[in-house]
Amino acid sequence: MERGRLRAVFPFLAMLSSEVGLPGMPQELHKAYDPAAIEDRWAAYWVNERLFHAEAGDSAARPFTMLLPPPNVTGNLHMGHMFEHTETDILIRWHRMLGETTLWVPGTDHAGIATQMLVERQVTSEGKTRQQLGREAFIERVWQWREHYGGAILEQMKRLGASVDWSREYFTMDEGLSVAVKEAFVRLHEQGLIYRGAYIVNWCPRCQTAISDLEVVHEEQQGKLWEIRYPVLGKHGKPETGQFLTIATTRPETMLGDVAVAVNPEDARYRHLHGKKLLLPLMDREIPVVADSWVSADFGTGAVKVTPAHDANDFAIGQRHGLKSISVMDDTAHINAEGGKYAGLDRYVARKRILKDLEAQGLLGTVREHTNSIGKCDRCQTVVEPRLSTQWFVKIQPLADKAIEAVEQGYIKFTPAQYAKTYFEWMRNIHDWCISRQLWWGHRIPAWHCAACGKITVARETPAVCEHCGNANLTQETDVLDTWFSSGLLPFTVFGWPKRTRDLDNFYPTQLLLTGFDILFFWVARMIMLGCHFMSDVPMADGSERDLKDAVPFREVYIHALVRDADRQKMSKTKGNVIDPIEIVQRYGTDAVRFTLAAMASPGTDIAFSAARTEGYRAFANKIWNAAHLIFMNVDRAAEAGIHVDLGSENPANTLEARWIALRLNAVAGEMNQALGEYRFHEAANLVYQFFWGDFCDWYLEIVKLRLDFSDAADKATLALNTLVATFEAALRLLSPFMPFITEELWHAVYDGKPPAKSVALSQYPQANAKVVDAQTEAEMGQLQELIVTIRALRKDLEVPERELAAAEIQTSAAMQRLASDNHEIVQKLARVSAFTFPAESKLNPGNTRTTANFNVGLAFEKQIDVAAERERLQKKLEQYEKVLGNADRQLNNETFLAKAPEKIVAGLKKQASEAASLRQETLDAIEKLAQLA
RNA sequence: GGGCGGUUAGCUCAGUUGGUUAGAGCGCCUGCCUUACAAGCAGGAUGUCGGGGGUUCGAGUCCCUCACUGCCCACCA
């Protein structure tokens, strides 16, 4: 480490050492860590140097692969992304440092509806419609938009240091992926797992497309339940006077498409009407009364109007009773020609008109308030219309069966485990998947309609002629595929499927999927189904058959929590409580924000993000920065004395603090590896925080300062310096997955710009050595710390001025006397003691002494003693000891406890009891002494 | 209607398989500009672990129950 380097890392040092001198140091030169000064530089370095590029077969170790849940190409980075990316990046960086081939694949999703809506809005703002533009031109516009603005989120990820392999970036509409999507569709079709038919689907009148069940969000709403009287027809097709069947409905406008009224066959009230005809009001259509057990007698009037074209249940009733379906609404939820005089009206306008007309005819009965849940389009919040339409479906049961088995067999593990339950629940009640969308932007379905025979040809390439009749007059299906169909294939299509590539051999299955529960069904479940289905047919790398175990798309799923605002509210644009991660990052630095997220990421618990916490972790970064400052200053001083740091030294300092910090590092490394392996991010973060700040800075650094005298006893100082720098270097590695920027900067500085690897991210993660055990050092350091802390507290109580030193006297065991003497410099410095002695008995006032299980310590400092306050303090102590003692004695006198409790617990309790007993006695003595004094 | 969580210090939250005196950060109080760091150092106060019952030698942790609260799923017109 040379001065030049030091100045480069800490520019302010130049000022410090200049002739301006300390007192004159300009105020504006902040000594604090400035993340902005280093982060951009390293972010660019990592990308430009392609440090996180992985090749199949890079190492013998099992590869660790993860897929980035592709954000929408229209998306902007929000806190949820940053959280997800932070957790993923920590794991990825950790695994990379474990020496595994580590691959994180990034990409974006074309996001059919979302993107189309966005570009459509743009077109509209220019006074045009997408229809005027035409399909081809519109799609061209979307591509243009994508060129200019798409994938901003990936750029933001680069800035935040996500260690992904950018050379593998994909877009779900890329040529290669499009071929794969076609292939998947055609294969499913060949296997009889795709069919086309007219069914009730959820229709969004605004997006003018079908959407899947999952894309409908249900909302409770206060609505009305209207009763409508349908006249009963007599023998001659004439209404029987005064005879009505009263139905109840929440959607009167659909009555235009009624084809029957259904009652429960057991319902005695209506048994006489079975088989009779009714006259559908307003439409003057004869409709039958049918008996169907789906109808419950106790809801409404017990009679249900049947509108097969506009309700899924009614459709099922229609099927059972051979009824026809009459669609009365068009794509935009306006009444169509089937609706007679209501044609052209919007559904809600029609509703009002219909109710008014019914009332005029005296056919409207009781109107009740009624809460029901209505379905809205996930994308645009428009109320969804169940509508009969011709769509493409995936026959899902065979796929679901395998997907269930994969999880049941443990081939895929969920964390937190409870999500497996949710998964099973959904998978076991799954419905066929409607995969066609009436959009323009997306993967167009590879099917062609024949103008001659009307049949469909499904093919990988545009067919020349109809496969059924040979006619050449073919037009391609206009529908596109659900976006989730293509993203469900990603775990293998990103590696080149349907081709059998080296990547596919090496990286499939991926190891872990880390994502939010909101896309558990949308995406996770679909990937499992499609992966198990398609990859079962792909042989293993060695050519052997692939079992279900290896067909799964990932071996583990980790479901992360939600990031909420500081008041635990969901962040939403409408609430205006969205925290922009970029803004927070600019304020506190990426490392601090990442650390906040990690430290709060306890599995299964939502995160209430608060900037106060981030402020604390910025302070942590600053602490590390300043520790580096201290270390580098000493490296610098050593260099002046001709001493150079030897990081590879096999000869560590053999001082108490050096042995102790090595033990701590070893223990913390072990605990961190353990915690990270179990996705306990918060625990790992707290461990490294506590280690760096508490152990390393507060104790080790303070002590080691005493050793760094390079003018005198330089050998010891050299050893101390080597150990110091080596420990710091290891601590940086330990922290680096959490705070990649500051650790990268300082790690390079430690090596004076000549590091053994291009990045700390490519160095090795510290591992625990189980053989490193040194109970004596641990105990001695513990006792020394207790002594120092006790003296410090006593100083406070005695109000010894901060600057003043005080003489101490200690009563303790011979061993501890030796310990204290051997380390008297440490005690003197950290506890601000001038000197200490070991008289057999203390002559000091009780207020001047403190007692612990290991020692009594007293300070000779004159203070007017407040007897009452002192008695109170001692009484409180006494109560505390007696409580402990009572508790311990009670258990130790309990024979069942002694018989059943583990030995370790009993021994611990005994020790505790004896300590408490002696402390109690000491306290009693002090109280007595105090009484004599008074 | 089904299912899953949560309730621990003023605030935000940890607390792995039941085990010795329940922790952290922030905030609060006190004293320090101690040449790495005031984004700091040192010391300190604060809890009937939501209520009730049970199992156990032992419960914040397991079981039952009640209360409050959040979320997911569902075709009741």
Side-chain angles (χ1 to χ4, degrees), chain A residues 31 296 313 568 605 619 693 887 900 905 912:
Chain A
K31 291 193 284 181
S296 69
N313 290 311
R568 306 211 115 262
T605 310
W693 199 320
N887 184 41
K900 291 193 174 179
I905 299 296
Q912 189 195 329

mmCIF file of all heavy atoms in Angstrom, chain A residues 31 296 313 568 605 619 693 887 900 905 912, chain B residues 13-14 19-21 37 40-41 57 75 77:
data_model
loop_
_atom_site.group_PDB
_atom_site.id
_atom_site.type_symbol
_atom_site.label_atom_id
_atom_site.label_comp_id
_atom_site.label_asym_id
_atom_site.label_seq_id
_atom_site.Cartn_x
_atom_site.Cartn_y
_atom_site.Cartn_z
ATOM 1 N N LYS A 31 -15.582 14.068 5.612
ATOM 2 C CA LYS A 31 -14.794 12.850 5.715
ATOM 3 C C LYS A 31 -15.664 11.605 5.532
ATOM 4 O O LYS A 31 -15.173 10.502 5.573
ATOM 5 C CB LYS A 31 -14.104 12.807 7.086
ATOM 6 C CG LYS A 31 -13.027 13.859 7.200
ATOM 7 C CD LYS A 31 -12.149 13.617 8.386
ATOM 8 C CE LYS A 31 -12.831 14.019 9.673
ATOM 9 N NZ LYS A 31 -11.972 13.813 10.842
ATOM 10 N N SER A 296 -80.193 -23.373 -6.051
ATOM 11 C CA SER A 296 -80.496 -23.582 -4.643
ATOM 12 C C SER A 296 -81.812 -22.878 -4.321
ATOM 13 O O SER A 296 -82.025 -21.719 -4.702
ATOM 14 C CB SER A 296 -79.363 -23.081 -3.759
ATOM 15 O OG SER A 296 -79.296 -21.693 -3.811
ATOM 16 N N ASN A 313 -72.273 -20.592 -15.250
ATOM 17 C CA ASN A 313 -73.201 -21.577 -14.696
ATOM 18 C C ASN A 313 -74.371 -21.816 -15.628
ATOM 19 O O ASN A 313 -74.802 -22.940 -15.818
ATOM 20 C CB ASN A 313 -73.725 -21.098 -13.344
ATOM 21 C CG ASN A 313 -72.643 -21.145 -12.293
ATOM 22 O OD1 ASN A 313 -71.973 -22.158 -12.153
ATOM 23 N ND2 ASN A 313 -72.446 -20.037 -11.606
ATOM 24 N N ARG A 568 -46.769 0.040 6.688
ATOM 25 C CA ARG A 568 -47.242 -1.278 6.286
ATOM 26 C C ARG A 568 -48.309 -1.232 5.210
ATOM 27 O O ARG A 568 -49.056 -2.183 5.024
ATOM 28 C CB ARG A 568 -47.796 -2.088 7.471
ATOM 29 C CG ARG A 568 -46.878 -2.225 8.638
ATOM 30 C CD ARG A 568 -47.104 -3.535 9.350
ATOM 31 N NE ARG A 568 -45.908 -4.363 9.226
ATOM 32 C CZ ARG A 568 -45.755 -5.318 8.333
ATOM 33 N NH1 ARG A 568 -46.703 -5.594 7.487
ATOM 34 N NH2 ARG A 568 -44.640 -6.011 8.289
ATOM 35 N N THR A 605 -42.252 -12.724 6.019
ATOM 36 C CA THR A 605 -42.764 -11.499 6.640
ATOM 37 C C THR A 605 -42.593 -10.325 5.694
ATOM 38 O O THR A 605 -41.512 -10.107 5.166
ATOM 39 C CB THR A 605 -41.998 -11.195 7.945
ATOM 40 O OG1 THR A 605 -41.975 -12.381 8.731
ATOM 41 C CG2 THR A 605 -42.664 -10.088 8.714
ATOM 42 N N ALA A 619 -24.839 4.635 7.721
ATOM 43 C CA ALA A 619 -23.853 4.845 8.778
ATOM 44 C C ALA A 619 -22.917 3.646 8.878
ATOM 45 O O ALA A 619 -21.726 3.786 9.148
ATOM 46 C CB ALA A 619 -24.568 5.079 10.111
ATOM 47 N N TRP A 693 -19.107 -4.127 12.962
ATOM 48 C CA TRP A 693 -19.188 -2.941 13.822
ATOM 49 C C TRP A 693 -18.810 -3.285 15.267
ATOM 50 O O TRP A 693 -17.935 -2.663 15.879
ATOM 51 C CB TRP A 693 -20.601 -2.343 13.768
ATOM 52 C CG TRP A 693 -20.674 -0.914 14.221
ATOM 53 C CD1 TRP A 693 -20.007 -0.365 15.277
ATOM 54 C CD2 TRP A 693 -21.430 0.144 13.626
ATOM 55 N NE1 TRP A 693 -20.308 0.965 15.380
ATOM 56 C CE2 TRP A 693 -21.186 1.307 14.390
ATOM 57 C CE3 TRP A 693 -22.315 0.239 12.544
ATOM 58 C CZ2 TRP A 693 -21.782 2.540 14.096
ATOM 59 C CZ3 TRP A 693 -22.911 1.459 12.263
ATOM 60 C CH2 TRP A 693 -22.636 2.598 13.025
ATOM 61 N N ASN A 887 -35.613 -18.687 41.105
ATOM 62 C CA ASN A 887 -35.996 -19.427 39.910
ATOM 63 C C ASN A 887 -35.114 -20.670 39.737
ATOM 64 O O ASN A 887 -35.605 -21.774 39.508
ATOM 65 C CB ASN A 887 -35.870 -18.495 38.700
ATOM 66 C CG ASN A 887 -36.339 -19.161 37.432
ATOM 67 O OD1 ASN A 887 -37.348 -19.854 37.451
ATOM 68 N ND2 ASN A 887 -35.595 -18.964 36.368
ATOM 69 N N LYS A 900 -35.221 -35.192 34.060
ATOM 70 C CA LYS A 900 -35.591 -35.092 32.645
ATOM 71 C C LYS A 900 -34.821 -34.063 31.829
ATOM 72 O O LYS A 900 -34.679 -34.218 30.615
ATOM 73 C CB LYS A 900 -37.088 -34.785 32.548
ATOM 74 C CG LYS A 900 -37.961 -35.944 32.984
ATOM 75 C CD LYS A 900 -39.390 -35.700 32.559
ATOM 76 C CE LYS A 900 -40.247 -36.922 32.875
ATOM 77 N NZ LYS A 900 -41.646 -36.703 32.489
ATOM 78 N N ILE A 905 -28.373 -28.127 30.514
ATOM 79 C CA ILE A 905 -29.276 -27.149 31.107
ATOM 80 C C ILE A 905 -29.093 -27.140 32.630
ATOM 81 O O ILE A 905 -29.025 -26.083 33.254
ATOM 82 C CB ILE A 905 -30.734 -27.495 30.757
ATOM 83 C CG1 ILE A 905 -30.945 -27.466 29.236
ATOM 84 C CG2 ILE A 905 -31.710 -26.537 31.439
ATOM 85 C CD1 ILE A 905 -30.752 -26.122 28.593
ATOM 86 N N GLN A 912 -25.331 -20.786 37.300
ATOM 87 C CA GLN A 912 -26.073 -19.542 37.446
ATOM 88 C C GLN A 912 -26.489 -19.331 38.900
ATOM 89 O O GLN A 912 -26.385 -18.228 39.433
ATOM 90 C CB GLN A 912 -27.308 -19.624 36.554
ATOM 91 C CG GLN A 912 -28.081 -18.330 36.432
ATOM 92 C CD GLN A 912 -29.447 -18.587 35.844
ATOM 93 O OE1 GLN A 912 -29.628 -19.506 35.048
ATOM 94 N NE2 GLN A 912 -30.398 -17.790 36.242
ATOM 95 P P C B 13 -43.661 -3.845 10.935
ATOM 96 O OP1 C B 13 -43.747 -4.376 9.564
ATOM 97 O OP2 C B 13 -44.876 -3.729 11.762
ATOM 98 O "O5'" C B 13 -42.578 -4.637 11.783
ATOM 99 C "C5'" C B 13 -42.254 -5.954 11.490
ATOM 100 C "C4'" C B 13 -40.795 -6.167 11.784
ATOM 101 O "O4'" C B 13 -40.355 -5.318 12.862
ATOM 102 C "C3'" C B 13 -40.445 -7.563 12.288
ATOM 103 O "O3'" C B 13 -40.350 -8.478 11.217
ATOM 104 C "C2'" C B 13 -39.108 -7.332 12.959
ATOM 105 O "O2'" C B 13 -38.071 -7.258 12.024
ATOM 106 C "C1'" C B 13 -39.308 -5.945 13.588
ATOM 107 N N1 C B 13 -39.686 -6.002 15.009
ATOM 108 C C2 C B 13 -38.697 -6.345 15.943
ATOM 109 O O2 C B 13 -37.560 -6.599 15.530
ATOM 110 N N3 C B 13 -39.013 -6.405 17.253
ATOM 111 C C4 C B 13 -40.248 -6.127 17.653
ATOM 112 N N4 C B 13 -40.519 -6.184 18.955
ATOM 113 C C5 C B 13 -41.282 -5.778 16.726
ATOM 114 C C6 C B 13 -40.957 -5.731 15.427
ATOM 115 P P A B 14 -40.562 -9.995 11.471
ATOM 116 O OP1 A B 14 -40.888 -10.597 10.170
ATOM 117 O OP2 A B 14 -41.437 -10.252 12.630
ATOM 118 O "O5'" A B 14 -39.073 -10.401 11.819
ATOM 119 C "C5'" A B 14 -38.766 -10.871 13.106
ATOM 120 C "C4'" A B 14 -37.298 -11.095 13.208
ATOM 121 O "O4'" A B 14 -36.752 -10.071 14.070
ATOM 122 C "C3'" A B 14 -36.949 -12.427 13.860
ATOM 123 O "O3'" A B 14 -36.816 -13.441 12.909
ATOM 124 C "C2'" A B 14 -35.632 -12.098 14.561
ATOM 125 O "O2'" A B 14 -34.552 -12.080 13.656
ATOM 126 C "C1'" A B 14 -35.910 -10.670 15.042
ATOM 127 N N9 A B 14 -36.613 -10.641 16.326
ATOM 128 C C8 A B 14 -37.887 -10.202 16.588
ATOM 129 N N7 A B 14 -38.242 -10.287 17.849
ATOM 130 C C5 A B 14 -37.126 -10.822 18.464
ATOM 131 C C6 A B 14 -36.845 -11.159 19.797
ATOM 132 N N6 A B 14 -37.710 -10.995 20.782
ATOM 133 N N1 A B 14 -35.629 -11.674 20.078
ATOM 134 C C2 A B 14 -34.751 -11.839 19.074
ATOM 135 N N3 A B 14 -34.896 -11.568 17.784
ATOM 136 C C4 A B 14 -36.116 -11.048 17.539
ATOM 137 P P G B 19 -36.219 -23.417 23.405
ATOM 138 O OP1 G B 19 -37.403 -22.572 23.423
ATOM 139 O OP2 G B 19 -35.002 -22.969 22.749
ATOM 140 O "O5'" G B 19 -35.828 -23.774 24.909
ATOM 141 C "C5'" G B 19 -36.179 -22.849 25.950
ATOM 142 C "C4'" G B 19 -35.231 -23.057 27.113
ATOM 143 O "O4'" G B 19 -35.530 -24.335 27.729
ATOM 144 C "C3'" G B 19 -33.775 -23.087 26.708
ATOM 145 O "O3'" G B 19 -32.993 -22.368 27.651
ATOM 146 C "C2'" G B 19 -33.415 -24.572 26.741
ATOM 147 O "O2'" G B 19 -32.085 -24.776 27.114
ATOM 148 C "C1'" G B 19 -34.338 -25.072 27.841
ATOM 149 N N9 G B 19 -34.664 -26.511 27.735
ATOM 150 C C8 G B 19 -34.526 -27.358 26.670
ATOM 151 N N7 G B 19 -34.913 -28.581 26.925
ATOM 152 C C5 G B 19 -35.326 -28.529 28.262
ATOM 153 C C6 G B 19 -35.838 -29.534 29.087
ATOM 154 O O6 G B 19 -36.059 -30.700 28.810
ATOM 155 N N1 G B 19 -36.135 -29.068 30.353
ATOM 156 C C2 G B 19 -35.946 -27.772 30.777
ATOM 157 N N2 G B 19 -36.277 -27.495 32.021
ATOM 158 N N3 G B 19 -35.465 -26.809 29.999
ATOM 159 C C4 G B 19 -35.177 -27.261 28.767
ATOM 160 P P U B 20 -32.782 -20.789 27.574
ATOM 161 O OP1 U B 20 -34.058 -20.211 27.147
ATOM 162 O OP2 U B 20 -31.555 -20.509 26.827
ATOM 163 O "O5'" U B 20 -32.531 -20.377 29.089
ATOM 164 C "C5'" U B 20 -33.457 -20.734 30.134
ATOM 165 C "C4'" U B 20 -32.683 -20.779 31.418
ATOM 166 O "O4'" U B 20 -31.545 -21.649 31.212
ATOM 167 C "C3'" U B 20 -32.145 -19.418 31.862
ATOM 168 O "O3'" U B 20 -32.617 -19.136 33.172
ATOM 169 C "C2'" U B 20 -30.625 -19.579 31.850
ATOM 170 O "O2'" U B 20 -30.041 -19.046 33.030
ATOM 171 C "C1'" U B 20 -30.418 -21.097 31.854
ATOM 172 N N1 U B 20 -29.218 -21.514 31.129
ATOM 173 C C2 U B 20 -28.082 -21.684 31.895
ATOM 174 O O2 U B 20 -28.070 -21.480 33.102
ATOM 175 N N3 U B 20 -26.970 -22.071 31.191
ATOM 176 C C4 U B 20 -26.883 -22.320 29.848
ATOM 177 O O4 U B 20 -25.814 -22.677 29.373
ATOM 178 C C5 U B 20 -28.112 -22.122 29.123
ATOM 179 C C6 U B 20 -29.216 -21.729 29.775
ATOM 180 P P U B 21 -33.941 -18.395 33.372
ATOM 181 O OP1 U B 21 -34.186 -18.605 34.793
ATOM 182 O OP2 U B 21 -34.952 -18.734 32.366
ATOM 183 O "O5'" U B 21 -33.533 -16.874 33.141
ATOM 184 C "C5'" U B 21 -34.564 -15.870 33.219
ATOM 185 C "C4'" U B 21 -33.945 -14.500 33.056
ATOM 186 O "O4'" U B 21 -32.812 -14.395 33.948
ATOM 187 C "C3'" U B 21 -33.449 -14.175 31.657
ATOM 188 O "O3'" U B 21 -34.021 -12.918 31.249
ATOM 189 C "C2'" U B 21 -31.941 -13.974 31.823
ATOM 190 O "O2'" U B 21 -31.445 -12.895 31.060
ATOM 191 C "C1'" U B 21 -31.835 -13.601 33.298
ATOM 192 N N1 U B 21 -30.528 -13.877 33.921
ATOM 193 C C2 U B 21 -29.953 -12.832 34.611
ATOM 194 O O2 U B 21 -30.494 -11.733 34.706
ATOM 195 N N3 U B 21 -28.745 -13.114 35.185
ATOM 196 C C4 U B 21 -28.072 -14.309 35.143
ATOM 197 O O4 U B 21 -27.003 -14.411 35.702
ATOM 198 C C5 U B 21 -28.731 -15.346 34.411
ATOM 199 C C6 U B 21 -29.914 -15.101 33.833
ATOM 200 P P C B 37 -11.479 10.843 13.037
ATOM 201 O OP1 C B 37 -11.346 12.185 12.476
ATOM 202 O OP2 C B 37 -11.216 10.590 14.466
ATOM 203 O "O5'" C B 37 -12.944 10.292 12.704
ATOM 204 C "C5'" C B 37 -13.537 10.547 11.429
ATOM 205 C "C4'" C B 37 -14.783 9.711 11.290
ATOM 206 O "O4'" C B 37 -14.452 8.318 11.515
ATOM 207 C "C3'" C B 37 -15.872 9.993 12.310
ATOM 208 O "O3'" C B 37 -16.674 11.078 11.892
ATOM 209 C "C2'" C B 37 -16.657 8.680 12.309
ATOM 210 O "O2'" C B 37 -17.529 8.609 11.199
ATOM 211 C "C1'" C B 37 -15.543 7.652 12.112
ATOM 212 N N1 C B 37 -15.113 7.049 13.387
ATOM 213 C C2 C B 37 -15.738 5.867 13.804
ATOM 214 O O2 C B 37 -16.623 5.380 13.088
ATOM 215 N N3 C B 37 -15.360 5.292 14.971
ATOM 216 C C4 C B 37 -14.402 5.861 15.703
ATOM 217 N N4 C B 37 -14.067 5.254 16.841
ATOM 218 C C5 C B 37 -13.742 7.058 15.296
ATOM 219 C C6 C B 37 -14.134 7.615 14.139
ATOM 220 P P G B 40 -23.323 7.227 13.456
ATOM 221 O OP1 G B 40 -23.638 6.326 12.344
ATOM 222 O OP2 G B 40 -24.327 7.546 14.473
ATOM 223 O "O5'" G B 40 -22.040 6.645 14.189
ATOM 224 C "C5'" G B 40 -20.780 6.596 13.513
ATOM 225 C "C4'" G B 40 -19.678 7.090 14.424
ATOM 226 O "O4'" G B 40 -19.780 8.524 14.589
ATOM 227 C "C3'" G B 40 -19.693 6.590 15.852
ATOM 228 O "O3'" G B 40 -19.225 5.264 15.940
ATOM 229 C "C2'" G B 40 -18.763 7.592 16.517
ATOM 230 O "O2'" G B 40 -17.428 7.360 16.179
ATOM 231 C "C1'" G B 40 -19.220 8.884 15.851
ATOM 232 N N9 G B 40 -20.242 9.582 16.645
ATOM 233 C C8 G B 40 -21.548 9.825 16.301
ATOM 234 N N7 G B 40 -22.199 10.490 17.224
ATOM 235 C C5 G B 40 -21.270 10.687 18.237
ATOM 236 C C6 G B 40 -21.390 11.338 19.478
ATOM 237 O O6 G B 40 -22.386 11.900 19.960
ATOM 238 N N1 G B 40 -20.209 11.308 20.202
ATOM 239 C C2 G B 40 -19.059 10.727 19.774
ATOM 240 N N2 G B 40 -18.019 10.801 20.601
ATOM 241 N N3 G B 40 -18.917 10.117 18.611
ATOM 242 C C4 G B 40 -20.058 10.131 17.898
ATOM 243 P P C B 41 -19.825 4.277 17.013
ATOM 244 O OP1 C B 41 -19.299 2.942 16.682
ATOM 245 O OP2 C B 41 -21.268 4.478 17.201
ATOM 246 O "O5'" C B 41 -19.102 4.810 18.314
ATOM 247 C "C5'" C B 41 -17.697 4.694 18.438
ATOM 248 C "C4'" C B 41 -17.261 5.259 19.759
ATOM 249 O "O4'" C B 41 -17.577 6.680 19.800
ATOM 250 C "C3'" C B 41 -18.000 4.718 20.971
ATOM 251 O "O3'" C B 41 -17.528 3.443 21.359
ATOM 252 C "C2'" C B 41 -17.709 5.803 22.005
ATOM 253 O "O2'" C B 41 -16.375 5.728 22.468
ATOM 254 C "C1'" C B 41 -17.860 7.054 21.136
ATOM 255 N N1 C B 41 -19.238 7.600 21.202
ATOM 256 C C2 C B 41 -19.581 8.395 22.303
ATOM 257 O O2 C B 41 -18.726 8.598 23.173
ATOM 258 N N3 C B 41 -20.832 8.911 22.398
ATOM 259 C C4 C B 41 -21.717 8.656 21.436
ATOM 260 N N4 C B 41 -22.931 9.178 21.576
ATOM 261 C C5 C B 41 -21.399 7.838 20.298
ATOM 262 C C6 C B 41 -20.158 7.336 20.226
ATOM 263 P P C B 57 -43.924 -33.683 33.350
ATOM 264 O OP1 C B 57 -43.106 -34.913 33.495
ATOM 265 O OP2 C B 57 -45.308 -33.615 33.860
ATOM 266 O "O5'" C B 57 -43.102 -32.475 33.977
ATOM 267 C "C5'" C B 57 -43.068 -32.285 35.384
ATOM 268 C "C4'" C B 57 -42.030 -31.243 35.729
ATOM 269 O "O4'" C B 57 -40.713 -31.777 35.415
ATOM 270 C "C3'" C B 57 -42.101 -29.972 34.911
ATOM 271 O "O3'" C B 57 -43.042 -29.065 35.448
ATOM 272 C "C2'" C B 57 -40.682 -29.441 35.007
ATOM 273 O "O2'" C B 57 -40.434 -28.813 36.246
ATOM 274 C "C1'" C B 57 -39.869 -30.744 34.934
ATOM 275 N N1 C B 57 -39.450 -31.092 33.565
ATOM 276 C C2 C B 57 -38.423 -30.334 32.967
ATOM 277 O O2 C B 57 -37.926 -29.407 33.600
ATOM 278 N N3 C B 57 -38.018 -30.650 31.719
ATOM 279 C C4 C B 57 -38.593 -31.665 31.068
ATOM 280 N N4 C B 57 -38.170 -31.928 29.847
ATOM 281 C C5 C B 57 -39.635 -32.434 31.646
ATOM 282 C C6 C B 57 -40.025 -32.129 32.891
ATOM 283 P P C B 75 -64.849 -19.330 -9.661
ATOM 284 O OP1 C B 75 -64.942 -20.140 -10.887
ATOM 285 O OP2 C B 75 -63.977 -18.125 -9.650
ATOM 286 O "O5'" C B 75 -66.287 -18.873 -9.200
ATOM 287 C "C5'" C B 75 -67.022 -17.924 -9.985
ATOM 288 C "C4'" C B 75 -68.449 -18.367 -10.103
ATOM 289 O "O4'" C B 75 -68.511 -19.520 -10.980
ATOM 290 C "C3'" C B 75 -69.075 -18.871 -8.821
ATOM 291 O "O3'" C B 75 -69.563 -17.794 -8.053
ATOM 292 C "C2'" C B 75 -70.183 -19.781 -9.321
ATOM 293 O "O2'" C B 75 -71.301 -19.035 -9.740
ATOM 294 C "C1'" C B 75 -69.521 -20.412 -10.548
ATOM 295 N N1 C B 75 -68.916 -21.744 -10.268
ATOM 296 C C2 C B 75 -69.746 -22.821 -9.965
ATOM 297 O O2 C B 75 -70.966 -22.639 -9.912
ATOM 298 N N3 C B 75 -69.198 -24.026 -9.724
ATOM 299 C C4 C B 75 -67.869 -24.181 -9.778
ATOM 300 N N4 C B 75 -67.379 -25.384 -9.536
ATOM 301 C C5 C B 75 -67.003 -23.102 -10.092
ATOM 302 C C6 C B 75 -67.562 -21.912 -10.333
ATOM 303 P P A B 77 -74.072 -14.031 -6.413
ATOM 304 O OP1 A B 77 -72.861 -13.258 -6.538
ATOM 305 O OP2 A B 77 -74.701 -14.270 -5.119
ATOM 306 O "O5'" A B 77 -75.137 -13.398 -7.422
ATOM 307 C "C5'" A B 77 -76.344 -14.034 -7.682
ATOM 308 C "C4'" A B 77 -76.275 -14.655 -9.056
ATOM 309 O "O4'" A B 77 -76.794 -15.973 -8.914
ATOM 310 C "C3'" A B 77 -77.121 -13.943 -10.097
ATOM 311 O "O3'" A B 77 -76.496 -14.027 -11.378
ATOM 312 C "C2'" A B 77 -78.440 -14.679 -10.046
ATOM 313 O "O2'" A B 77 -79.076 -14.706 -11.290
ATOM 314 C "C1'" A B 77 -78.031 -16.087 -9.623
ATOM 315 N N9 A B 77 -79.011 -16.699 -8.726
ATOM 316 C C8 A B 77 -80.085 -16.115 -8.132
ATOM 317 N N7 A B 77 -80.797 -16.929 -7.390
ATOM 318 C C5 A B 77 -80.128 -18.138 -7.498
ATOM 319 C C6 A B 77 -80.368 -19.406 -6.948
ATOM 320 N N6 A B 77 -81.398 -19.672 -6.135
ATOM 321 N N1 A B 77 -79.518 -20.399 -7.248
ATOM 322 C C2 A B 77 -78.496 -20.135 -8.062
ATOM 323 N N3 A B 77 -78.150 -18.973 -8.648
ATOM 324 C C4 A B 77 -79.026 -18.001 -8.314
#
